[in-house]
Amino acid sequence: MRQIAALPYRTEGNAVDAPVRVLLVTSRESGRWVIPKGNPEAGMPAHTAAAIEAEEEAGVRGPVCPLPLGSYRYRKKRGNGASLMIDVDVFPLSVSQELVAWKEQGQRERRWFSLAEAAAAVDEPDLSDLIRSFGPAEFRAAAQRNGLLTAVARKSKVHHMFAWFQRLLPKTGNFFEMFEQHALTIVAGADALARLLADGNRDHIREVIEREHDADEIIREMLRTVRETFLTPFDRGAITSLIGAMDDAIDEMQAAVQAIDLYEVTSFDQEMKDMAAIIVDAARLTMEAMPLLRDVGRNGPRLHELTERLVRMESHADEIHAAGLKRAFKELGPGDPLGFAVHRELFKHLERIVDAFEDVANEIDGIVIDHS
């Protein structure tokens, strides 16, 4: 048997290393801590069903990534006495709204936990490891328990002699700080874009544009520092290519909201919302990757894990993009060609945002390979 679940999360603060917290609820039968889960309805996308469970059981809403974080297994006792093994696919949900009242409010308790606290609170070992793997600090222990460190990831480790020499080199220029600052603008822009597609509030358009301007200031400072710095932590081409790929993501976010503003779009297809949810999660992974670049040799396995997920997201987004365009053409193409053209342009910008995150993943992989 297979179920779906949501992992509701939020970031505490705006710093690049801000802690992540997840929301757990109590089960109705035993009162133990669990994540919102249930059985998917026939014909309903799994991530949509997970979002419904999160709203009904935990009273939270937000963009849910259509690509599952992973899965865990538990044994469920049925009313007829049978004890069956259940596999549960878990979808990350970035909480943007906590409801004051919700369907199962009187039947469950909800509480925010740190990743370590949540991992300790749940009973299922697989779910505990999955929660730990959601943050960088606990990834290595979870990965070792689950055998997630692939041969490729192991090979990415810098030779100990080179790593020792690298630590002796003077680190001039604040490149890492600028990478991290730029990642913060991407996360903020992605969150604002997702909120715009969810509620149509035009204030989110201005926020994305302001974030893009902030990113422009950072990339200008980055390029100036590259020119003036004698010794850089990575090859100059790698630095400019990585920050350029990141900047492409926020640039396309701005292009998307400007198109929405120009054509006065007020309602959005579910496929657009799904792509925005992927963008939110891709931005989160990018932000997590940036501090890890300070020590590529030590953090190579985690960087590989993050980039592999980014690449999978891009592939999944392509499928959503194609399905959304097909549906828009069937519904609008014959009778409303202008409406279809607007939909096609919005999908194009959303696809380019996700493509930019894949480029970020490729640039990070290149840095890891060059320093292995």
Side-chain angles (χ1 to χ4, degrees):
M1 296 183 63
R2 201 158 199 94
Q3 292 184 326
I4 46 82
L7 182 64
Y9 73 91
R10 69 184 183 194
T11 303
E12 298 290 324
N14 297 320
V16 70
D17 58 349
V20 175
R21 300 183 71 83
V22 297
L23 186 69
L24 301 183
V25 296
T26 53
S27 67
R28 287 182 295 188
E29 294 81 11
S30 63
R32 62 190 180 87
W33 291 108
V34 297
I35 58 177
K37 68 178 185 297
N39 299 312
E41 295 185 18
M44 178 181 292
H47 68 286
T48 302
I52 293 174
E53 295 296 335
E55 181 171 344
E56 293 181 351
E57 296 185 9
V60 291
R61 296 172 179 164
V64 56
C65 183
L67 188 68
L69 176 67
S71 63
Y72 71 96
R73 176 171 289 186
Y74 78 102
R75 188 170 291 279
K76 183 178 179 65
K77 190 170 184 178
R78 305 295 294 273
N80 59 9
S83 181
L84 302 178
M85 192 66 74
I86 309 289
D87 289 309
V88 186
D89 292 325
V90 180
F91 297 86
L93 185 148
S94 177
V95 175
S96 59
Q97 182 182 8
E98 290 187 55
L99 303 179
V100 177
W102 63 96
K103 183 176 180 180
E104 299 185 12
Q105 181 177 10
Q107 305 172 47
R108 302 177 187 271
E109 179 185 351
R110 69 179 180 184
R111 184 185 304 173
W112 287 99
F113 292 81
S114 69
L115 293 179
E117 292 169 342
V122 298
D123 289 347
E124 299 84 0
D126 290 348
L127 176 58
S128 178
D129 284 340
L130 200 63
I131 292 173
R132 290 180 188 276
S133 74
F134 200 65
E138 294 288 346
F139 171 74
R140 183 171 296 277
Q144 288 173 343
R145 284 192 295 273
N146 284 313
L148 294 175
L149 298 182
T150 64
V152 174
R154 290 191 193 93
K155 291 179 182 177
S156 70
K157 294 183 179 179
V158 175
H159 187 274
H160 67 91
M161 287 299 293
F162 179 77
W164 171 81
F165 175 71
Q166 195 177 44
R167 283 192 289 271
L168 293 180
L169 294 176
K171 296 297 187 292
T172 57
N174 55 339
F175 296 103
F176 298 117
E177 289 83 354
M178 286 186 282
F179 278 134
E180 293 163 10
Q181 290 168 9
H182 199 288
L184 287 174
T185 68
I186 293 175
V187 169
D191 287 342
L193 175 63
R195 290 194 299 271
L196 173 63
L197 269 61
D199 60 29
N201 191 309
R202 316 305 277 185
D203 287 342
H204 303 317
I205 294 176
R206 180 177 177 181
E207 182 178 358
V208 172
I209 294 173
E210 289 176 351
R211 299 298 185 177
E212 192 277 336
H213 292 165
D214 292 340
D216 281 347
E217 292 294 328
I218 295 169
I219 195 170
R220 278 194 288 268
E221 178 65 17
M222 174 73 84
L223 296 176
R224 183 192 64 79
T225 306
V226 168
R227 289 194 304 269
E228 297 177 355
T229 302
F230 176 74
L231 185 63
T232 58
F234 311 125
D235 179 81
R236 284 174 169 78
I239 292 174
T240 57
S241 294
L242 176 55
I243 197 72
M246 294 168 63
D247 206 54
D248 287 343
I250 191 72
D251 284 347
E252 284 296 335
M253 291 180 204
Q254 176 179 251
V257 300
Q258 286 176 332
I260 290 169
D261 190 37
L262 174 64
Y263 300 121
E264 298 182 345
V265 182
T266 57
S267 62
F268 303 93
D269 297 343
Q270 184 59 49
E271 290 86 357
M272 294 180 183
K273 296 177 182 179
D274 289 344
M275 292 184 74
I278 287 179
I279 290 166
V280 168
D281 209 38
R284 177 187 65 82
L285 295 178
T286 299
M287 185 174 69
E288 181 181 332
M290 291 304 105
L292 302 182
L293 294 176
R294 294 174 180 265
D295 191 343
V296 175
R298 181 175 299 171
N299 298 318
R302 180 56 170 173
L303 286 167
H304 272 297
E305 199 270 346
L306 296 176
T307 57
E308 286 171 4
R309 181 166 173 80
L310 284 170
V311 172
R312 292 198 303 272
M313 284 179 172
E314 192 277 336
S315 177
H316 196 68
D318 282 347
E319 297 174 5
I320 296 172
H321 172 247
L325 269 184
K326 184 175 183 179
R327 184 161 73 91
F329 179 75
K330 287 182 177 179
E331 296 178 356
L332 301 172
D336 186 6
L338 180 58
F340 173 71
V342 171
H343 275 65
R344 183 173 58 187
E345 181 170 349
L346 296 184
F347 273 118
K348 176 189 70 177
H349 291 304
L350 294 172
E351 182 188 30
R352 286 179 176 176
I353 297 169
V354 183
D355 287 346
F357 281 116
E358 183 185 29
D359 292 340
V360 169
N362 292 335
E363 295 298 335
I364 292 173
D365 278 338
I367 290 172
V368 173
I369 291 171
D370 287 345
H371 290 77
S372 62

